[in-house]
Amino acid sequence: MSSKKKQAEIREEKDWEKIDSAVHKSENFIEKYQKQILIGIGIVVVVISGYLAFRNFYLGPKNAEAQVALFKGEQYYRNGQDSLAIYGDANGYVGFESIISDYGSTNAGNLAKLYAGICYANLGQYDKALDYLKGFSGGDKVLSQLVNGTIGDCLSNTGKENDAVSYYVKAAKGVDNPVQSPILYKKAGLIYRNQGNYDKVVETFTTVKNQYMNSPVAMEADKYIEEANLMKAGGAK
């Protein structure tokens, strides 16, 4: 046997010894920490199983129950019967308050927060409205931005116009459609007008003219722009 072949066999034998040693170490590690490993795997399984069970056997049925409870409230909401929508009718419908309390973790319970917030705003109870509106978490972009607009209304009606205007502008940009956006921009523009911030008045109504030229607000925008420019000129004298 040649010297090179013998050296190769020796190297191969040593490699197998290393592999064998590593396998034994791995087996010893598993034997030594088997209990901890099994506990760790068990915890992961329990967590995953628990989540799936919670979603399928608790949240699923709970959401279905909440949707049934919500249906009558939506009817009252659409009819402008805000108090009945919030508190219930003593005739089987429990009201948005109870739906939020009993089903707050469900999608329907989350939607009840939005309805309750708007109803409270309609009733002039702006602090309660803000609590529910800010607690609403919506995945729909347009709906979430319209909630911001309603928050702006509540803040404006409680004298917090600096906060309100930022919600109006954010909502107008987020919705970005020719129906709601001009109205939201107008609300912001009128706050700027009341504050004497005429540069912002011009900027806001110019945005409406340029981006939503066919809207009713765009058709009256020049009036506010001209007035703001006159007030600026008058203040500069």
Side-chain angles (χ1 to χ4, degrees), residues 6-207:
K6 188 171 183 179
Q7 287 176 356
E9 288 179 352
I10 291 171
R11 279 198 301 273
E12 185 178 353
E13 187 177 341
K14 287 182 178 180
D15 288 340
W16 277 107
E17 286 176 0
K18 288 179 183 178
I19 293 169
D20 189 52
S21 174
V23 169
H24 282 301
K25 285 181 181 178
S26 177
E27 288 174 349
N28 290 337
F29 175 84
I30 292 172
E31 288 176 4
K32 184 176 180 180
Y33 295 103
Q34 184 175 17
K35 185 177 180 181
Q36 289 89 334
I37 292 169
L38 291 175
I39 289 172
I41 293 171
I43 289 171
V44 173
V45 171
V46 167
V47 169
I48 294 173
S49 300
Y51 169 73
L52 292 174
F54 178 73
R55 187 182 68 182
N56 295 325
F57 300 112
Y58 178 79
L59 280 186
K62 290 288 279 187
N63 192 53
E65 289 175 19
Q67 286 175 334
V68 171
L70 195 65
F71 177 74
K72 187 65 176 178
E74 289 175 327
Q75 290 181 314
Y76 284 131
Y77 166 78
R78 284 194 293 270
N79 292 332
Q81 296 171 285
D82 297 305
S83 292
L84 285 174
I86 293 170
Y87 303 116
D89 59 9
N91 191 31
Y93 169 63
V94 296
F96 291 140
E97 287 272 12
S98 292
I99 294 171
I100 293 164
S101 176
D102 294 340
Y103 306 103
S105 60
T106 67
N107 291 333
N110 181 50
L111 189 58
K113 294 176 185 176
L114 170 60
Y115 284 129
I118 296 172
C119 288
Y120 273 122
N122 291 338
L123 293 171
Q125 298 185 44
Y126 300 114
D127 289 333
K128 277 192 173 183
L130 285 169
D131 286 340
Y132 284 116
L133 291 170
K134 289 183 177 181
F136 171 76
S137 54
D140 182 83
K141 177 184 174 183
V142 173
L143 184 59
S144 295
Q145 295 305 334
L146 290 176
V147 169
N148 282 331
T150 308
I151 291 173
D153 290 338
C154 293
L155 292 168
S156 179
N157 280 293
T158 52
K160 300 172 183 174
E161 292 193 330
N162 285 333
D163 295 326
V165 75
S166 64
Y167 276 97
Y168 286 142
V169 172
K170 179 165 62 174
K173 290 179 178 178
V175 172
D176 191 22
N177 69 49
V179 178
Q180 284 100 357
S181 291
I183 295 170
L184 291 162
Y185 274 124
K186 181 177 179 178
K187 290 180 178 183
L190 292 178
I191 290 176
Y192 290 135
R193 181 172 176 256
N194 291 338
Q195 294 175 335
N197 192 343
Y198 300 117
D199 286 332
K200 279 291 187 180
V201 174
V202 172
E203 177 187 320
T204 302
F205 283 102
T206 300
T207 297

Side-chain angles (χ1 to χ4, degrees), residues 207-221:
T207 297
V208 175
K209 276 186 62 178
N210 292 341
Q211 296 185 15
Y212 311 103
M213 61 185 69
N214 295 320
S215 70
V217 178
M219 295 174 188
E220 61 177 359

